[in-house]
Amino acid sequence: KQEVTQIPAALSVPEGENLVLNCSFTDSAIYNLQWFRQDPGKGLTSLLLIQSSQREQTSGRLNASLDKSSGRSTLYIAASQPGDSATYLCAVLNAGNNRKLIWGLGTSLAVNP
Amino acid sequence: GAGVSQSPSNKVTEKGKDVELRCDPISGHTALYWYRQRLGQGLEFLIYFQGNSAPDKSGLPSDRFSAERTGESVSTLTIQRTQQEDSAVYLCASSLYGVTYNEQFFGPGTRLTVL
């Protein structure tokens, strides 16, 4: 059974810092992995999607890497800003079951001005 | 175009009442998903619709939960005889199955509170 773990559960940093959020999964047979951002009352926003054959994806100040064999992904945020404050969720789509995303509990990020 | 929309945004109901939640997916998206997020817990898959195929209901927690979808458009999630443990944010997502790697796009959610 696929399980997704995110570390740390919460993170507070001063503005301008570079930071790394971690996601691990127990079953490496995945189709893809997605990073989402969740803002209160605004649902989920997809940030980056990495296919199982890919190693990383980049969007602006965000870079996500994937090491499928070790069951790990990291989300790197460069030059953090107060507007980055949100909960970041990692979810995997298991190979052969292109339906159910399996979710981590998220990392709650606070970027202080 | 417009994103996924859900209504109502908030719903407060009394224990034992039935509630109906609505989801309008992105136009043209063939797949639609319902998830639940209870306080302090991760998102849980509830149900999945894909075109005219039989829905995957494997995540529905009890027979009090049901969902319908009209063609490839609106979906409603119905909870009968609500219980306090049903209190959660209910999220709907849609995707264009088979294209863009099944990326799912989410609505803002419906926050359900059962008193």
Side-chain angles (χ1 to χ4, degrees):
Chain A
K1 178 185 173 184
Q2 181 73 272
E3 293 182 359
V4 179
T5 304
Q6 291 187 247
I7 295 173
L11 185 62
S12 180
V13 300
E15 181 177 5
E17 275 204 6
N18 302 323
L19 52 98
V20 175
L21 308 182
N22 297 291
C23 173
S24 61
F25 46 96
T26 54
D27 186 346
S28 63
I30 65 170
Y31 189 74
N32 64 40
L33 182 146
Q34 278 187 260
W35 282 94
F36 292 86
R37 169 181 174 143
Q38 186 172 34
D39 294 276
K42 294 186 179 180
L44 295 167
T45 302
S46 178
L47 297 174
L48 291 164
L49 182 152
I50 312 177
Q51 290 300 307
S52 61
S53 59
Q54 298 175 323
R55 298 284 294 181
E56 66 177 345
Q57 284 286 328
T58 298
S59 176
R61 294 183 293 108
L62 304 180
N63 176 279
S65 67
L66 175 64
D67 184 341
K68 198 174 68 165
S69 61
S70 68
R72 293 173 185 244
S73 176
T74 60
L75 179 67
Y76 176 81
I77 303 177
S80 58
Q81 302 172 357
D84 295 331
S85 299
T87 296
Y88 290 80
L89 294 166
C90 168
V92 301
L93 199 61
N94 285 346
N97 184 350
N98 296 346
R99 299 163 184 170
K100 311 172 191 178
L101 284 171
I102 310 298
W103 299 82
L105 293 180
T107 293
S108 177
L109 173 65
V111 180
N112 306 305
Chain B
V4 178
S5 62
Q6 292 186 245
S7 61
S9 55
N10 281 285
K11 176 72 176 178
V12 180
T13 190
E14 295 179 348
K15 178 181 174 181
K17 300 282 189 182
D18 297 352
V19 296
E20 195 171 273
L21 312 180
R22 176 185 170 111
C23 172
D24 285 87
I26 293 172
S27 178
H29 277 193
T30 57
L32 186 146
Y33 315 75
W34 283 98
Y35 294 87
R36 175 172 74 172
Q37 187 177 30
R38 290 188 283 188
L39 188 64
Q41 300 185 25
L43 276 81
E44 304 169 75
F45 166 82
L46 296 178
I47 189 169
Y48 160 82
F49 296 91
Q50 168 58 30
N52 294 320
S53 302
D56 178 350
K57 304 179 182 179
S58 60
L60 294 178
S62 78
D63 59 9
R64 296 186 295 104
F65 287 71
S66 63
E68 294 184 349
R69 187 181 187 193
T70 306
E72 294 185 350
S73 60
V74 172
S75 175
T76 55
L77 176 68
T78 301
I79 309 173
Q80 296 178 309
R81 305 181 303 282
T82 52
Q83 304 293 313
Q84 289 182 333
E85 64 262 27
D86 299 335
S87 296
V89 175
Y90 289 82
L91 291 160
C92 174
S94 70
S95 72
L96 190 55
Y97 185 75
V99 180
T100 62
Y101 310 106
N102 299 325
E103 184 173 1
Q104 296 182 24
F105 297 87
F106 283 78
T110 293
R111 181 175 296 278
L112 175 65
T113 303
V114 182
L115 302 177

